[in-house]
Amino acid sequence: MTRPTLTQATGPAHTRILGLGGVRGENVVTNDDIAGPIDSSDEWIQQRTGIVTRRRASAGTDVLDLAEEAAILALKDAGLTGADIDVVILSTVTYFNQTPAGAAIIADRIGASPAAAFDISAACAGYCYGIGQADALVRAGTARNVLVIGAEKMSEFIDPTDRTISFLLGDGAGAVVIGPSDTPGIGPTIWGSDGGQAQAIRQTHSWLATRDEGLGWPTLRQEGQSVFKWAVWQMAPVAQKAMDAAGVTADQIEAFIPHQANMRIIDQMIKTLKLPESVVIGRDIAETGNTSAASIPLATERLLREGQVSSGALALQIGFGAGLVYAAQVVVLP
């Protein structure tokens, strides 16, 4: 018998970000509010991290509430409704249900069902991972419009006495809609992992240990110096590769929006990349804190809202964190 040749999906040549939305936790938490349990001070925290305040959600707000609100804002900004969405991708490490996926619940809440929906766990690189997947899905013809959400309630994993990471963390969500474009709006994604350094940023113990060994609620820890060196010296070349792959140079970049991990890391990356002074830098960490997968879209939202950059600007974005995982791409801002 002669077997038929399968028809494959085909899509548009280019994609872009159609709309963006972001929300932060309701409560402003100052350095003085958290300095006591870590035997620290406002001066020490600002000097080491650049953080003045962080935003944390109330007990009655969960990570899906934050994700839903950001999604609705992104849809409004794109001029679309949930019914226009074909795929929902939720990046988070703070959604407590293993199954069903939080993305499916969000799809239902915003009226996107029967859109495909799935969660990804790539920590602070999760938003850029989602952008890469959405770009590929649209160009392959598998979807027309994809909703990408980075959402975290990091305050659920905080040990108030921990001096390694917990005082950095905040809560929030950022979302974008990715769709077809007549011109390139998302450059190639440069991504990867280094599982050999999995202990550099980690959960203190597994949920099984909580059940079987009577250990308490797990929280986050990091090896600060190791993470700093890795982020500064290993991630700048990744960002450079993203610019090279997109066919742009540092002097053509209008905004640099890295994961909001630590202001010292951001400053050193700027020097290593030799970015000109004209480049606007995302520094949302100063007021919002480190919100993991939500940090890049929230920093982008602030730059656009405050008029520091305009629609159509070229932005270099890079996420990096627990795994260790990383991803970067150059995008045209919505």
Side-chain angles (χ1 to χ4, degrees):
M1 61 176 289
T2 302
R3 292 187 174 92
T5 299
L6 296 179
T7 299
Q8 290 187 309
T10 57
H14 311 300
T15 66
R16 66 183 178 95
I17 301 173
L18 303 176
L20 178 148
V23 296
R24 295 163 177 81
E26 307 97 313
N27 304 311
V28 177
V29 179
T30 68
N31 290 335
D32 288 334
D33 291 334
I34 63 172
I38 60 172
D39 190 26
S40 186
S41 66
D42 172 66
E43 181 181 10
W44 184 89
I45 294 172
Q46 287 200 47
Q47 183 182 48
R48 293 298 185 93
T49 71
I51 296 174
V52 180
T53 62
R54 72 278 301 134
R55 298 288 291 272
R56 291 180 178 169
S58 300
T61 301
D62 68 22
V63 69
L64 294 190
D65 295 329
L66 295 169
E68 178 186 2
E69 188 175 351
I72 291 171
L73 290 173
L75 286 171
K76 181 179 180 181
D77 192 46
L80 301 173
T81 68
D84 297 310
I85 299 299
D86 303 301
V87 181
V88 177
I89 301 173
L90 172 63
S91 177
T92 183
V93 294
T94 52
Y95 177 54
F96 289 111
N97 292 37
Q98 189 72 32
T99 191
I105 296 171
I106 296 302
D108 179 67
R109 288 187 184 182
I110 65 172
S113 297
F118 59 94
D119 296 351
I120 56 176
S121 176
C124 309
Y127 171 74
C128 291
Y129 266 50
I131 295 293
Q133 292 179 58
D135 168 55
L137 287 168
V138 174
R139 288 190 295 109
T142 307
R144 180 171 177 82
N145 296 306
V146 180
L147 176 66
V148 177
I149 311 167
E152 306 286 11
K153 192 178 182 185
M154 303 303 294
S155 59
E156 298 280 10
F157 285 88
I158 287 175
D159 173 359
T161 66
D162 168 52
R163 288 173 62 91
T164 72
I165 194 171
S166 291
F167 64 98
L168 301 172
L169 303 176
D171 304 334
V176 290
V177 178
I178 305 297
S181 174
D182 293 332
T183 57
I186 298 175
T189 295
I190 306 299
W191 57 356
S193 67
D194 183 1
Q197 299 194 66
Q199 291 301 305
I201 307 174
R202 64 192 184 278
Q203 193 170 296
T204 50
H205 54 269
S206 75
W207 294 105
L208 286 176
T210 299
R211 182 194 68 184
D212 297 340
E213 301 174 32
L215 298 181
W217 191 270
T219 57
L220 294 178
R221 293 289 190 278
Q222 74 170 346
E223 305 299 328
Q225 286 301 313
S226 296
V227 173
F228 181 88
K229 292 177 181 178
W230 174 78
V232 168
W233 303 115
Q234 300 300 318
M235 293 302 97
V238 172
Q240 183 63 56
K241 288 179 182 178
M243 287 191 287
D244 294 343
V248 300
T249 56
D251 62 320
Q252 294 172 314
I253 294 295
E254 296 167 73
F256 177 48
I257 312 174
H259 164 51
Q260 305 291 290
N262 182 308
M263 199 74 81
R264 292 168 63 204
I265 291 175
I266 294 172
D267 289 340
Q268 188 58 55
M269 289 185 72
I270 294 167
K271 293 178 182 178
T272 304
L273 287 167
K274 296 181 171 59
L275 295 178
E277 293 185 3
S278 59
V279 176
V280 176
I281 310 299
R283 299 186 183 275
D284 187 50
I285 187 173
E287 296 182 20
T288 304
N290 178 343
T291 55
S292 188
S295 77
I296 292 175
L298 286 178
T300 305
E301 182 273 338
R302 179 181 292 276
L303 292 181
L304 288 167
R305 171 167 48 84
E306 294 181 349
Q308 296 186 55
V309 292
S310 59
S311 173
L314 276 183
L316 168 63
Q317 56 186 30
I318 179 170
F320 45 86
L324 295 169
V325 294
Y326 56 88
Q329 60 264 126
V330 176
V331 300
V332 176
L333 296 182

